[in-house]
Amino acid sequence: MCVKVMNSDYFKFTGHFSWTCLKDFDFISLCSQRIIVDILNLLFICVFYTSLLITLIRRCSSCGTNTRKNLVFQLVSVSCVLISIAHFSNGLWNLIAKANNTKQLIWLACFVRAFVWLSFTVSLLVQRNKWIKILNSIWWASSCVLASALNIEILIIDRAFQILDMVQWLVHLLLLFFALQYLGCFVTSSQSNNQDPASLSEPLIAQRVGKTKQSQLGHTTLLSKLTFSWVNSLLRLGYSKPLALEDIPSLLSEDEADSAYQNLMHAWEFLVRMRSNNNHKNLVLWSVIRTFFKENILIAFYALIRSVSMVASPLILYAFVKYSNSTDADIKQGFAILGFLILTKVVESVSQRHYCFDSRRSGMKMRSALMVAVYQKQLKLSCSARRRHSTGEVVNYIAVDAYRLGEFPWWFHITWTSVLQLVLSTSLLLGVVGVGALPGLVPLLICGLLNVPFAQILQNCQAQFMITQDERLRSTSEILNSMKIIKLQSWEEKFKNLVETLRAKEFIWLAKAQIMKATNSFLYWLSPTIISSVVFLGCALFKSAPLNAETIFTVLATLRNLGEPVRMIPEALSIMIQVKVSFDRLNSILLDEELNSDSDGKNIKGSSVNAVEIQDGNFVWDHESVSPTLRDVNLEIKWGQKIAVCGPVGAGKSSLLYAVLGEIPKISGTVDVSGTIAYVSQTAWIQSGTVRDNILFGKPMDKARYEIAIKVCALDKDINDFSHGDLTEIGQRGVNMSGGQKQRIQLARAVYNDADTYLLDDPFSAVDAHTASILFNDCVMTALREKVVILVTHQVEFLSEVDIILVMEDGRVTQSGSYEDLLTSGTSFERLVIAHKEALTELDQKNEDNRDSDTKVMVHSEEYQGICPTKDHNEGQISTKGQLGVQLTQEEEKEIGDVGWKAFWDYISFSEGSLLMCLTMSAQLAFIALQTISTFWLALAIEIPKVTSGTLIVVYSLISFVSAAFVHVRSVLAANLGLKASSAFFSSFTSAIFNAPMLFFDSTPVGRILTRASSDLSVLDLDIPYTLSLVAFVATEILVIIFAMVSVTWQVLIVAVPAMAASRYIQGYYQASARELIRINGTTKAPVMNFAAETSLGVVTVRAFNMVDRFFNNYLKLVDTDASLFFHSIVAMEWLVLRIEVLQNLIVFTAAFLLILLPKGHIPSGLVGLSLSYAFTLTQSQVFWSRMFCTLSNHIISVERIKQFIHIPAEPPAIVEDNRPPSWWPSEGRIDLQALDIRYHPNAPLVLKDINCTFKGGNRVGIVGRTGSGKSTLISALFRLVEPSRGDIIIDGMKICSIGLKDLRMKLSIIPQEPTLFKGSIRTNLDPLGLYADDQIWKALEKCQLKGTISTLPSLLDSSVSDEGGNWSLGQRQLFCLGRVLLKRNRILVLDEATASIDTATDAILQQVIREEFAECTVITVAHRVPTVIDSDMVMVLSYGKLVEYDEPSKLLGTNSSFSKLVTEYWSSCRKNSSSYNISSHQN
């Protein structure tokens, strides 16, 4: 093909206005056709300017468009102007220079053309309403079609083309692009301005409150479904502004989790019914097959068409090269081949896109169904089954196994289509080459077999990696949940080393896997070289096919098709093995034991004489246990009765409540419960959410009942103090609430529930005596006076008020009856009362002098001013109502918009991997260069007669072998870059987390941290190194492909350049939405896992309140929200890929078209084969690069998320080298508080205000005050969990804020309010640092009353402690914490309500032990029981953050002090019990 400049002869030939054309008008002539095109353009121009004039007359200025003037738009506008100038200049030249030629009107034709192109510019810039937009679109499309037809006809006839016509054709194509855009068939860069006028008048609030819009997939046309155009509106919105969660449409009903779950359960129930005892098939797998089989048939059809289309490409290449090599071939044959190419590529593109989309969609439904099935199962699991499936394991079933099975359909179809593609390609190779291909099958088979051990080794590495990762994540989760005790004990370094040790094990397998992948890539690139060389050699030896362009490039194209299945089959098989493991894991939990109300639990009766009745009940937690947990339980509780259950630690009190709930497995007997139940657990279970949400617990708001519940649970003042009132957000596990507040919130939840029977498991242990009295009198005895209440308690002072007391010991009810009856019967109950009386003796004596003033200090709620001041009289009250500050738990932070290349550079620079990156790119460029040289060698050498077949094959093989070596170097370097980055990010992330202040953990849900430690870190470990190297590799490959095509037919640039520009524009358009979809999706995954974990921890409460259905529905919503983000992410990706395929296929079609038009023999057949073989890979390469680049851009968000936590502010240093305290510090234990102010946030109100006092060395100081008065905050300040905003704390003359945190905390001991144990053994829990001998540990256990229990265990000190100490009672866990401080023996000991969960008798013994063991130490006791602090040397009374009183107890008791009121109130509440006991004693 030749290209001409404009001349008069050509103008005449192509039909510019001439008298000859007008005189002899003929539709077939090019001259006449040119006139028709010009006339049609002039007609459109007339209509356009007329419409424009009408709109101007009507002053329709408000109809203007807000079209975004992007780069392509501006380029087209400028091009139209330049073409207009060119035509005008040419016309002017013809008019002046050829004025004597009057018969030809070339100048007039040029002026008409100049006017037409100028009008195109005006039409682009001025579009004042919808009608003009439609008119312009029709005009541009028509003009493009006519111009294209005319240009093609000129090419066919003359095989010559004008440069100006080339440019015009290109601009016409871009105008067609804009026409399709405005008509909604392509992308659009502006929001729709054609809203219904009525909708503009609707208020914005109404639009927000309205129902979430549903996906448009359900009501769209077939064409829109085929092209994914139904997602245009979302992408348009995402391009105009950053997307938010509320912008994402909801799923179709058929895609929702509930629909998928119901279908799965129908199949599951059928298979369970049909299962025989000997049948061990995986029911989850077969349920999934029965549920999703039909929709996967269509997916299989798409996959089949796609595979056949891909295999057809080498045949088309063969036909093209053969056609170009033929001298007598008809041009119609060339166009027939081109038509077949177009058809094949279109079918391949559409089928592959829908195969990918539908398989991911099917996987999403499968994933949602299994996630919901696991969640529903955990709501039904029996107690023994829950022990087999811990909270962490349940979360793993959802987060790992269900998500992995979401990829199952895609990998399943990849597996069988890869096998099919392998068979078809091999058959094609044999058909083209003949027996010469047979030798090539040997290395193909060897390479395929070599992939199997590689896959097995890689699978083993990945399996071990997953195992070690699970172990690290389990430890990380436990550490994060227990971070407060770790910081208090200064164990950060020990647990950080534990996590790093586990990571080191994990990293070993990660490194092996990555290096193995690099080696596998070497095999992947080496195998085509070996196979092709052997095939060429076979052709030369067997003479089965000539080594010409047709054979060589068909073989190379076929082997390229073989490469994908050879690589994918082992990986797919590895994935399928992992899928089988996940199916087995899910099968184990879904088939596990459920609660059965008929055999293991309670029988619910509508009405009965007795509210609760147990007859001959025997219960056991562990079926393998020799003796039952509860034995011979016989219980009848009538309506309205108040039952108290008491007894020593481990007696079975909580187990009795579980028996009533039906939670503990029953060996024999019956349990009948009438009416509804409300349950308050011993360890408070609080949901993440507001205070109001926790109290309402799904019930509708009843204002009167709600206010009563708050008042009787003594929450009214707390709620008034909260900055957001009852809308204050509670952090995960109630981290920002005190123990007493959490207990009272869940008690209020029970009261508001208005049940028939209330089971209260020691609800008063976490509150002070005054609050306990209010709760008992106002709540239990008044608000619940008509209800059945079963109260487990250690507070003996309340027992005289109840109807029946049950005394338990060793799992049996040893005594039952009224208070007076039990006193006269002696034994167990008497011992409890005696212990309580002895505890009161000293209190009674100290109060004797103040007895006369009892009448003055009788405590009523309205008179209780000192410790619990009223609103009107308390100046120091922390009241921030109405001052809306920030909530504790903030919405998760995420980047917005395009962060550019910064995140990519951060990934490289953070690990100092710039050198590695440069070396990797150098190896990559060397590989690409050698690959290109080897292919050009084949294309050129076959045209040189002197080059023999042997020389051809040897040179090609050598170059290819060297290039494969470079790709191996590149892969190893890329793997090491990834490993280095992973190591750097993990190290910094772990250090940042362990160095973070306690406030960070209080305000950040554990799920957010775990998501970064798990999924985000996995992306850094596995995905980013792989995708980063692929993006760089494929980008260079695309440049080489373009270079190869241009070297043969440079004219392809006319289409290639704008197509590449359009691809980049569309990719940027897509990325604006996709980036936000991935970011939002990162914030929707954690709530799904958090909710499942939260439910697992509180499943007993959920079942007791009969809230299973509500929790299930809430979980469905969370799963659907997460799935909706995933769904729209995958459809947006397919939308992008389809459009890029269209543009890249256009380049391929253009290259093929140009090769057809070339004169025969003009270009060597080798170069034709080279050009087409590269062209056929262009679409796949460009699509792959776009997908990988978008995936990398999405993955890089994980770098953003991890860096957010790397840069959190750190707490003060652990050690200050310049100011380390001496080893003997503190020697005295004196603590000075000087003008101490504490606030948790810079703008938050003060929690402690102006505290001034001194704790003398060796003194016992008791701290009392109402719940929320600041007691625990003072302890936190002492340990520097929170830094003073003003003032100082000085210990033995040294300001604690001037020394390192480790130096401070190692010298202090504490028994915290919430006892914490770690999974492991008794020894590792008592002595985590391994500092003490077994003898010392046994002595400590003996002193804290645990030796007897532990000595009966088979493994003694190595006996197991389950997650969070779940296999030990709360009281026993508290005793373990006491054992720790007995080992540590520091000069300063803090008891933060340390004995709240143990009975009075054990408390008395432990107090005695503490007195003896810490006689010379400073002991600070925060307690709710007055006897615990009555023998202190000094007592501090706090109220609303202020120091109210600080003096000796005897002096405070002698005045009308707040402390004396507290003691008198406590003594008064116990007086009745004591007097009753004395009366009984006298009678005996």
Side-chain angles (χ1 to χ4, degrees), residues 539-605:
C539 291
L541 292 176
F542 294 109
K543 308 292 185 184
S544 59
L547 276 182
N548 55 18
E550 297 106 283
T551 304
I552 287 175
F553 289 103
T554 303
V555 168
L556 290 178
T558 307
L559 290 177
R560 196 175 289 117
N561 279 348
L562 277 172
E564 183 186 354
V566 168
R567 178 177 61 88
M568 293 300 292
I569 288 174
E571 186 176 353
L573 291 176
S574 173
I575 296 291
M576 297 307 286
I577 292 170
Q578 294 177 30
V579 163
K580 182 186 180 300
V581 172
S582 292
F583 270 124
D584 290 338
R585 280 160 57 91
L586 293 182
N587 198 59
S588 69
I589 184 175
L590 293 182
L591 284 175
D592 216 328
E593 181 184 19
E594 294 184 3
L595 274 183
N596 189 334
S597 58
D598 295 332
S599 59
D600 289 341
K602 59 189 179 185
N603 298 320
I604 304 295
K605 292 187 175 181

Side-chain angles (χ1 to χ4, degrees), residues 764-770 795 867 1260-1267 1269 1271-1272 1275 1311 1313 1390-1396 1403 1407 1420-1432 1435-1438 1459 1462 1466:
F764 308 141
S765 60
V767 298
D768 57 80
H770 171 66
Q795 274 80 357
I867 187 69
R1260 295 173 54 81
V1261 179
I1263 303 177
V1264 295
R1266 185 176 178 270
T1267 300
S1269 60
K1271 305 186 297 295
S1272 294
I1275 302 306
I1311 304 177
Q1313 185 175 2
V1390 177
L1391 307 176
D1392 190 359
E1393 298 169 10
T1395 57
D1403 185 15
Q1407 291 299 331
I1420 303 169
T1421 305
V1422 176
H1424 293 146
R1425 294 178 181 173
V1426 174
T1428 306
V1429 297
I1430 197 68
D1431 63 342
S1432 301
V1435 170
M1436 169 187 279
V1437 182
L1438 292 175
F1459 181 67
L1462 176 64
Y1466 184 83

